[in-house]
Amino acid sequence: MQGSTIRNVEVLVASPGRTFVTLRVTTHDGVVGLGDATLNGRELAVAAYLRDHVAPMLIGSDAHRIEDTWQLLFRGAYWRRGPVTMTAIAAIDVALWDIKAKVAGLPLFQLLGGASREGCLAYAHATGHDVPELLDSVRASLAEGFRAVRVQTAVPGLSKVYGVPSAPSSGPYAYEPASRGTLPSVEDWDSRAYLRHVPGVLEQVRHELGPELILLHDAHHRLTPIEAARLGRSLEPYDLFWLEDCTPVDNQESLRLVREHTTTPLAVGEVLSSIWDYQTIIREQLVDFVRSSVVHAGGITSLRRILDHAGMYQIRSGMHGATDISPVGQAAALHLALAIPNFGIQEYMKHSATSLAAFRTSFTFTDGYLHPGTEPGLGVDYLDEVADRYPYERAYLPVNRLKDGTVHDW
Ligand code: CS2
Ligand code: MG
């Protein structure tokens, strides 16, 4: 199997519109596999982890031994888990799956058991500084063919809130959470103002756009468990598909209190990076959707295991798909999403034209559904000649502070 031994491992960092870390693995036969190693606001930590520690270990190893390589990088590192390690492992894992599928001459989803559906229902981002602007944004997403929309709104009294671009009417794709600069920007937060405002907004959206529209909302980790319980209950009349990250889940048990008080479906996990982070959450049926991405949860090998476990509890996937998941990570998500039995929905925050220009992609969006395409492998290429025009620029996710200056979850 000389041909499939790894000849080269490259860590490519560029900032076309936003920063992406792309891993490229090349075998002696010249087969290329790509992986996404982008960890928003901490990109260079993963790049160094890969370049300085992991890449030297893989030169000369067999690219086809995906599971063995995963175990080597997880157990062999001694220091396990966490977003940096699991994002690094994910990039290698996906690149090896890309290679194996290309050698097999099949689209990756065929190696994952084949298609379990014709397409993956996708949700768009809609946002507004006020209800009329939000309604326009939702209608714009519907006009693009989306059947599901996540709605985020500004909150009176707060200068800046997650999911809402600074400039009014700049459209849903103008929002990029990480901002370039020497220091993170500071946003203010007030849970009481948010809890007073959001139910009324969802009420108006549901009233204006009818019962069929699939509606989602992201509380973005900012509420205490009892506040989250109250929000979940106040949103029940508006039939949300899910309420996301209603409270931080560092303490997985905190969701018990939320579950006790509301039947609004819950989604968590975009910041969770391993199956152990879901142990209590899944076993006690505390959520309805797993939000981990292939990129931040150890790759296809690892996320498939988490989703298989979740499937036992009828918990479905809702993979994170914001713009800090690169087109490579997005493609990997779609191949897994097409194959798994317990698919729920896929986030589709479209990349800017500048970001997209650095990649050739083959996934499609038709009538509300995403499909990974049928090219061998992932179906994505990295365009060095374009990406190289955008050298790395540091950017930070914002920091949140309460009115009294206390640091709060962003
Ligand atoms: C968000 C993300 O899309 C989402 O659900 O939670 O936009 C998140 O803020 C970013 O990915 C953080 O990098
Ligand atoms: Mg989120």
Side-chain angles (χ1 to χ4, degrees), residues 18 39-41 123 125 150 152 162-163 175-178 218 220-221 242 244-245 270-271 291 296 320-325 347 349 397 410:
R18 55 148 299 110
L39 186 64
N40 210 0
Y123 73 87
H125 284 196
R150 185 197 78 167
Q152 304 295 130
Y162 165 73
Y175 179 70
E176 177 52 62
D218 191 345
H220 221 264
H221 324 270
W242 80 36
E244 177 183 341
D245 287 330
E270 69 182 52
V271 296
R291 283 276 291 149
H296 302 133
H320 183 213
T323 46
D324 48 295
I325 304 280
E347 180 174 17
M349 184 182 176
L397 285 169
W410 177 75

Side-chain angles (χ1 to χ4, degrees), residues 133-153:
E133 188 183 292
L134 177 58
L135 291 171
D136 288 347
S137 176
V138 175
R139 292 192 181 99
S141 298
L142 298 178
E144 286 180 72
F146 284 96
R147 297 159 181 265
V149 181
R150 185 197 78 167
V151 293
Q152 304 295 130
T153 175

Side-chain angles (χ1 to χ4, degrees), residues 35 244 300-301 316 318 393:
E244 177 183 341
I300 285 171
T301 299
R316 294 177 283 165
E393 288 192 57

